[in-house]
Amino acid sequence: MITEKLKLIKSGKLSAEENVKHFLNEIEKNNQNGKKINSVLIVNENAVNEARAVDSKIKKGHAGKLAGLGFIVKSNINVKGLVCNCASRVLENYVATYTATAVAKLLEEDAIVLGMANMDEFACGSSGETSAFGACKNPNAIDRIPGGSSSGSAASVAAKFCDFSLGSDTGGSIRNPASHCNVVGFKPSYGSVSRYGLIDLSMSLDQIGPLANCVEDCEIIYNIIKGKDENDAISIDYDNKAKQNKTIKIGLLNVNADAKIWALIRNKVNEICGKKKYSVSDVKLNHIDLGIQTYYPIVYVEFFSGTRKFDGRKYGYKIEEKCGEEVIRRILGGSVISKAEFAGKYYRKALAAKKIIRQEFSEAFKKYDILISPVVPKLPHKLGSKISVEDMYNYDALSVLANIAEIPGISIPCGKIDNIPVGMQILSALGNDENLLRIAREFEE
Ligand code: GLN
């Protein structure tokens, strides 16, 4: 879809200004009005001017590869001059003083920021309901949660408010809302996209990635934002070109999920395998049932540590005084775990478990090109209905595995159950992002 849009813009049939105005109009119509999707928190008031500047570059023939496209950025990724509030009262007045590397790379290619997306507060959540600025709605199942924490990034693509968006994924936050909103969401290998300018949830797990209408669009964006960055010491260039013409070995991960969701996924896999003669087998990995128990202690400790800068002196308000329930739970929990850490009780144990799970996956990818599972084990709940903390955390059981193993993962639409979209998760080996994207394309309708 991006490719077609770019052709229109290049040929002069559509200007950057028209494209941007169209999206701003859609946001105006259905973000706070109309369908009240509430996926956009801040609109870039300068977007039309920026689009005009891009149009003049296009006319002079030196515009970038994404000239004229409009995108929306999760509110935990800094874009200079725009409020970057992490959907929290704590940072409600914080205007970013610099631009994150991933965004800067898109701007260099003349894409235009349309605005900042709603999200779970400080990326803590899987439903979009912990935002201090009201829950975000799911455009493709309007009474259901859109998923989270990159709720607004997914919902904005689904609502056709933008050409694509950026999200962050610590334990599934790109893939989970992509799955519920019927769009594509890609979490690259850990480190392959710079985290510079991302307000972290858990620095050893966080990863920025694209959400878009199709795999190819994610691929186009990923190829621009990826790569080593001087400002992020752990960022890395994975040199892997997509391999061609190879029989693909698919493993279906033996994990618990709603039978209807599994049925959709198996159907899809069988359909593809009928056409392509790929091989499929069931795979059982040890210890992956411990994903949640491994993930949350790491997140609690690293989040607690990361939030110490929000003491009310430099950025916004003191976090404990303004944040919501889920954020305070993690801060308190993280401080308890940190205190117990002299005995290596939780955090170091979780890191040891992380290593074991990572190893399990790395062994599996010696035999399989990709592993497939549901993204979320259950259908999303109705907006506003109360669920327990455990149930909320359990939504993440299958998505956290990619972050723990540091591997790339994508969610692509797989069908609907009772009119609710369901995504399929495809995982591949660390650094094998381009190959994963190539294979994922074949699974698209
Ligand atoms: N739902 C998970 C959590 O609340 C994942 C969040 C994320 O990936 N940012 O921690």
Side-chain angles (χ1 to χ4, degrees), residues 57-124:
K57 272 175 130 180
I58 295 172
K59 283 202 190 95
K60 288 181 197 140
H62 57 74
K65 287 185 206 140
L66 302 179
L69 299 184
F71 69 110
I72 286 178
V73 182
K74 187 173 181 179
S75 287
N76 60 353
I77 303 173
N78 281 275
V79 183
K80 189 175 176 177
L82 294 185
V83 171
C84 184
N85 57 26
C86 292
S88 180
R89 294 279 171 213
V90 177
L91 295 176
E92 65 185 343
N93 300 318
Y94 167 63
V95 178
T97 53
Y98 70 111
T99 296
T101 300
V103 175
K105 286 183 165 183
L106 296 168
L107 296 180
E108 265 162 42
E109 298 299 342
D110 292 316
I112 295 141
V113 176
L114 300 165
M116 304 297 287
N118 203 354
M119 57 186 278
D120 279 296
E121 186 177 22
F122 283 104
C124 297

Side-chain angles (χ1 to χ4, degrees), residues 74 123-126 148-149 168-174 201 206 295-296 299 326 330 393 396 400 403:
K74 187 173 181 179
C124 297
S126 317
S149 64
S168 69
D169 191 311
T170 311
S173 282
I174 289 176
L201 167 58
D206 293 336
Y295 170 80
Y296 274 95
V299 169
E326 182 55 33
R330 295 183 191 210
Y393 286 6
D396 306 328
V400 295
N403 306 75

Side-chain angles (χ1 to χ4, degrees), residues 37 39 118 126-128 136-142 144-160 165 173-185 211-213 375-376 379-380 411-416 419-424:
I37 300 296
S39 62
N118 203 354
S126 317
S127 72
C136 173
K137 281 192 190 158
N138 184 338
N140 285 320
I142 206 81
R144 302 277 159 168
I145 55 161
S149 64
S150 308
S151 335
S153 306
S156 292
V157 173
K160 312 247 173 285
S165 66
S173 282
I174 289 176
R175 291 158 288 150
N176 168 309
S179 167
H180 294 329
C181 290
N182 216 30
V183 302
V184 179
L211 294 99
N213 291 299
V375 182
V376 186
L379 291 175
S411 171
I412 60 170
C414 188
K416 288 187 177 178
N419 244 344
I420 303 166
V422 169
M424 172 166 107

